[in-house]
Amino acid sequence: MKFFEDVEVGETTRFGRYEVTREEIIEYARQFDPQPFHLDEEAARASMFGGLIASGWHTGAMFIRMVCDSMVPTAATSGSMGFDDLKWLKPVRPGDVLFVESVVREKIESRSRPDRGTVKIESRVSNQRGEVVMSLVSLVIYMRRA
Amino acid sequence: MKFFEDVEVGETTRFGRYEVTREEIIEYARQFDPQPFHLDEEAARASMFGGLIASGWHTGAMFIRMVCDSMVPTAATSGSMGFDDLKWLKPVRPGDVLFVESVVREKIESRSRPDRGTVKIESRVSNQRGEVVMSLVSLVIYMRRA
């Protein structure tokens, strides 16, 4: 397991593989983000996006799924406090295959809770053409070694 | 329809009603955020959260659903570029009923695209006890009147 002490500023990790399907884009949109360009192929073609695109919050969900599959099993994390500066940079479309690159930007020790610390991680989600589709800076809680 | 010209800095809106269920928390977690405290009642009780809590990304999904139901139908928006400073402040649990309060913080005219502008909106998602569970600052694209 990787604890707060084991995390190094500057550390870079590439992980994940998420195949984006039309069915999942529409299913997510129906449940949470029913805007025409996420929901309906015809309406999407007529929109500024020129075709169906995933909800940005759905892209965030794909990101956390890749984090859960690749990073969480070997990291002594205890969730996240939030994040800064999330940008949706490019549309995510059916057939895209996404991956993540993360860089540790900062480690912040907790004054009030000596058993943990916060790690600031900048992540970029990219598609199969290497285009960054989403970026964000997460504040992740890591436990210290006992 | 509400266009960029109609939005006023300082304008405050309260909207939405989202009933959080155990079933939806677990369903979302299975698909996107399979961490024990989102997925399994027993494991959640043993965690620092003391019981099942919704994925933070699921709370974001509930937020965008309330925005879609209440705000989008009467606003000439064309999606969002991202957001700043998202904070998960309190756990969201089964049985919670959420609502949103939004304040317009800033209007930014687009130099390159005179048909639209960006509106910076600070939103707080609260539960039935009035506790803020999530806050964020969204950058929303509004179209101008033709």
Side-chain angles (χ1 to χ4, degrees):
Chain A
M1 289 295 274
K2 187 166 199 161
F3 287 86
F4 184 72
E5 292 88 334
D6 308 317
V7 175
E8 280 179 44
V9 173
E11 210 178 297
T12 300
T13 322
R14 179 178 163 148
F15 61 91
R17 178 188 162 79
Y18 201 105
E19 298 188 24
V20 183
T21 67
R22 179 182 319 273
E23 292 68 32
E24 194 183 299
I25 288 176
I26 293 170
E27 186 195 349
Y28 185 99
R30 275 209 189 108
Q31 191 172 2
F32 295 119
D33 196 353
Q35 299 189 68
F37 38 82
H38 301 318
L39 202 58
D40 181 78
E41 193 83 48
E42 286 287 301
R45 249 195 300 273
S47 78
M48 63 184 279
F49 303 112
L52 200 68
I53 64 165
S55 163
W57 288 94
H58 186 192
T59 308
M62 299 177 203
F63 163 74
I64 195 63
R65 179 70 210 217
M66 288 189 275
V67 170
C68 281
D69 287 346
S70 298
M71 304 298 282
V72 170
T74 57
T77 57
S78 195
S80 167
M81 299 160 66
F83 47 84
D84 284 332
D85 199 19
L86 184 142
K87 293 191 185 88
W88 290 304
L89 297 159
K90 289 258 181 194
V92 172
R93 300 183 188 275
D96 280 357
V97 182
L98 307 183
F99 66 93
V100 185
E101 280 173 307
S102 289
V103 185
V104 174
R105 289 294 179 207
E106 200 180 338
K107 288 174 70 177
I108 306 155
E109 309 201 356
S110 173
R111 285 180 199 181
S112 55
R113 310 192 75 165
D115 63 337
R116 66 194 65 182
T118 302
V119 179
K120 207 178 253 199
I121 302 173
E122 186 179 337
S123 296
R124 294 185 302 169
V125 180
S126 300
N127 64 23
Q128 68 281 7
R129 289 181 298 280
E131 298 163 338
V132 181
V133 297
M134 186 178 94
S135 66
L136 76 167
V137 178
S138 308
L139 299 169
V140 181
I141 302 162
Y142 269 81
M143 307 308 290
R144 284 173 171 276
R145 291 184 185 283
Chain B
M1 290 293 275
K2 188 167 200 159
F3 287 85
F4 183 72
E5 292 87 336
D6 308 316
V7 176
E8 281 180 42
V9 173
E11 209 180 298
T12 301
T13 322
R14 179 179 164 148
F15 62 91
R17 178 189 161 80
Y18 201 105
E19 297 188 26
V20 183
T21 67
R22 179 183 318 275
E23 292 67 33
E24 193 183 299
I25 289 176
I26 292 171
E27 187 195 348
Y28 185 98
R30 275 210 190 108
Q31 191 173 2
F32 295 120
D33 196 355
Q35 298 189 67
F37 38 82
H38 300 319
L39 202 59
D40 181 79
E41 192 83 50
E42 286 286 301
R45 250 197 298 276
S47 78
M48 63 184 279
F49 303 112
L52 201 68
I53 64 165
S55 164
W57 288 94
H58 186 191
T59 307
M62 298 177 203
F63 163 73
I64 194 64
R65 178 71 210 215
M66 289 188 276
V67 170
C68 282
D69 288 346
S70 300
M71 305 297 282
V72 170
T74 58
T77 58
S78 195
S80 167
M81 300 162 66
F83 45 84
D84 284 332
D85 199 18
L86 183 142
K87 293 192 186 85
W88 290 304
L89 296 160
K90 290 258 184 196
V92 172
R93 301 183 187 275
D96 281 356
V97 182
L98 307 182
F99 66 93
V100 184
E101 280 172 308
S102 288
V103 186
V104 174
R105 289 294 180 207
E106 199 180 338
K107 288 174 70 178
I108 306 154
E109 308 201 356
S110 173
R111 285 180 199 182
S112 54
R113 311 191 77 165
D115 63 337
R116 64 195 66 182
T118 302
V119 180
K120 206 179 252 197
I121 303 173
E122 186 178 335
S123 296
R124 294 185 300 168
V125 180
S126 299
N127 63 23
Q128 68 282 7
R129 289 179 299 279
E131 297 163 338
V132 181
V133 297
M134 186 177 94
S135 66
L136 75 168
V137 178
S138 307
L139 299 168
V140 181
I141 303 161
Y142 268 81
M143 305 310 289
R144 283 171 171 278
R145 290 185 186 281

